[in-house]
Amino acid sequence: MSQLRFVVFGSNGQLGQRLARRLRELDLPVEVFAFTSADIDVRQRATVNEVIRSLRPDWVVNAAAFTAVDRCEREPELAFGVNALALRWQVEAADAVGARVCNFSTDYVFNGQSVEPYREWDRVDPLGVYGRSKLGGECELRVGTDLNIRTAWLMSASAGNIASTVVRLAKEGSVLRFVGDQVGSPTVADDLSEASIQLMLSACTGNFHVVNGGTASWYEVVRWILTSLGRDLDQVVEITAASVADRYPAPRPAYSVLATATYSAALGRATDDWHDAIERVVRELDLQ
Ligand SMILES: NC(=O)c1ccc[n+]([C@@H]2O[C@H](COP(=O)([O-])OP(=O)(O)OC[C@H]3O[C@@H](n4cnc5c(N)ncnc54)[C@H](OP(=O)(O)O)[C@@H]3O)[C@@H](O)[C@H]2O)c1
């Protein structure tokens, strides 16, 4: 196999870190050029163009994103700049050197009114700026050339996500309050990273939903984290989304489970159930 070259943007993010690390660990001839937000701002057309043209990768992996959903409502220019327009710059530079783009998107492109898991071809109708800006990024991609991976509810042993926050607060003895009437697809960033790399190595293009198996509310996720830690389930209290709506300006879909049949059809494998995946993360966090 000839050497594969990857450029990764947003490589200090939860997913970007794992993608860059896992790509480097592959037992294949690969070269990985990873850029943090401090190295390269993906909104800068000239910089993006220069790095892609000089490194001539096979894949441009866009793990850069403005993911603070509530801040996106207040800062739409930044949201559209990072999540949408930056894809135009990456695609035009990739096009010039014959590279493909692997982009990541979100369950928030859907309005949450479905009662069954969303497939890749279901009607998109984002409720807020974050989802609209991510959909904008999807629209910049080339059909038949680029890869768009929609995921959801990402968790990992890195700081600043629900799993790591809950483990920390649980150990401090805090009472936790989590929403029970929003249902989605909990997903572990390591599993997403591995699945994404396999899609790239298999030269897949188009739109894929990649999440861990099963569905849950945040309340159920937190109960499972507490169970995995061996802690009392009374430590979490179930609340409704409406009761905290004034604290979180961005509207969230009530139901955003993603169907992964397309991923399974492409690679002949399913993703792990979220319970097993989160238990792995909790074990890692418990050792820290
Ligand atoms: N997290 C979730 O629950 C979730 C759910 C659905 C979909 N997704 C999607 O999954 C992907 C990965 O998410 P994640 O959780 O890894 O997000 P993350 O941890 O917030 O990482 C995003 C990274 O992008 C970087 N970045 C922001 N603006 C940039 C810019 N202008 N130029 C270059 N880099 C920039 C950030 O840098 P700084 O560290 O400097 O801010 C950060 O390192 C994203 O496409 C996201 O939309 C995430």
Side-chain angles (χ1 to χ4, degrees), residues 19-89:
L19 277 168
R21 186 170 64 222
R22 184 70 194 113
L23 281 167
R24 289 190 171 116
E25 285 169 2
L26 286 175
D27 193 15
L28 291 170
V30 295
E31 236 180 321
V32 182
F33 306 93
F35 299 98
T36 68
S37 55
D39 301 324
I40 287 184
D41 181 341
V42 288
R43 292 171 299 169
Q44 302 298 323
R45 182 184 183 199
T47 319
V48 167
N49 197 40
E50 192 186 310
V51 75
I52 293 175
R53 279 177 187 257
S54 64
L55 293 172
R56 304 185 75 82
D58 297 283
W59 282 96
V60 175
V61 183
N62 180 42
F66 183 34
T67 56
V69 176
D70 294 305
R71 273 185 63 200
C72 284
E73 295 296 316
R74 297 191 303 270
E75 298 174 74
E77 285 313 311
L78 183 56
F80 282 100
V82 179
N83 294 339
L85 191 53
L87 266 302
R88 185 170 302 181
W89 309 149

Side-chain angles (χ1 to χ4, degrees), residues 12-15 37 40-42 64-65 67 104-105 130 134 151 154:
N12 51 351
Q14 181 176 211
L15 178 64
S37 55
I40 287 184
D41 181 341
V42 288
T67 56
F104 293 90
S105 188
Y130 172 69
K134 294 296 292 182
T151 191
L154 274 192

Side-chain angles (χ1 to χ4, degrees), residues 27-287:
D27 193 15
L28 291 170
V30 295
E31 236 180 321
V32 182
F33 306 93
F35 299 98
T36 68
S37 55
D39 301 324
I40 287 184
D41 181 341
V42 288
R43 292 171 299 169
Q44 302 298 323
R45 182 184 183 199
T47 319
V48 167
N49 197 40
E50 192 186 310
V51 75
I52 293 175
R53 279 177 187 257
S54 64
L55 293 172
R56 304 185 75 82
D58 297 283
W59 282 96
V60 175
V61 183
N62 180 42
F66 183 34
T67 56
V69 176
D70 294 305
R71 273 185 63 200
C72 284
E73 295 296 316
R74 297 191 303 270
E75 298 174 74
E77 285 313 311
L78 183 56
F80 282 100
V82 179
N83 294 339
L85 191 53
L87 266 302
R88 185 170 302 181
W89 309 149
Q90 291 174 60
V91 168
E92 70 177 10
D95 204 47
V97 298
R100 297 172 187 275
V101 174
C102 172
N103 181 54
F104 293 90
S105 188
T106 171
D107 53 333
Y108 279 33
V109 296
F110 297 114
N111 65 18
Q113 286 169 17
S114 181
V115 290
E116 57 187 45
Y118 284 102
R119 303 201 61 153
E120 287 80 351
W121 301 274
D122 285 336
R123 193 173 69 88
V124 288
D125 178 27
L127 299 174
V129 171
Y130 172 69
R132 292 212 309 277
S133 66
K134 294 296 292 182
L135 184 58
E138 291 190 7
C139 293
E140 298 296 334
L141 302 172
R142 298 160 294 176
V143 174
T145 300
D146 296 323
L147 173 61
N148 185 56
I149 301 174
R150 291 196 190 124
T151 191
W153 293 29
L154 274 192
M155 278 167 270
S156 67
S158 298
N161 66 88
I162 298 261
S164 49
T165 305
V166 166
V167 168
R168 178 174 51 79
L169 292 175
K171 286 182 172 176
E172 287 168 14
S174 309
V175 174
L176 305 158
R177 287 180 176 75
F178 276 86
V179 169
D181 58 353
Q182 277 165 356
V183 177
S185 299
T187 304
V188 164
D190 283 311
D191 293 24
L192 171 64
S193 162
E194 184 62 36
S196 308
I197 290 169
Q198 292 311 321
L199 285 170
M200 285 188 273
L201 294 179
S202 306
C204 285
T205 65
N207 201 2
F208 286 88
H209 289 177
V210 180
V211 288
N212 279 120
T215 69
S217 67
W218 283 116
Y219 171 70
E220 288 168 318
V221 168
V222 173
R223 276 176 70 91
W224 181 246
I225 293 173
L226 293 175
T227 304
S228 305
L229 281 171
R231 297 196 70 98
D232 192 342
L233 295 182
D234 288 347
Q235 222 178 326
V236 60
V237 175
E238 183 172 3
I239 58 170
T240 63
S243 70
V244 288
D246 55 337
R247 296 219 308 265
Y248 301 106
R252 283 142 166 93
Y255 179 95
S256 62
V257 177
L258 300 181
T260 55
T262 311
Y263 167 78
S264 299
L267 295 189
R269 70 174 72 165
T271 51
D272 284 355
D273 183 84
W274 68 263
H275 293 86
D276 300 334
I278 289 183
E279 206 175 345
R280 276 189 265 118
V281 171
V282 172
R283 247 183 272 132
E284 198 179 333
L285 284 162
D286 209 17
L287 293 173

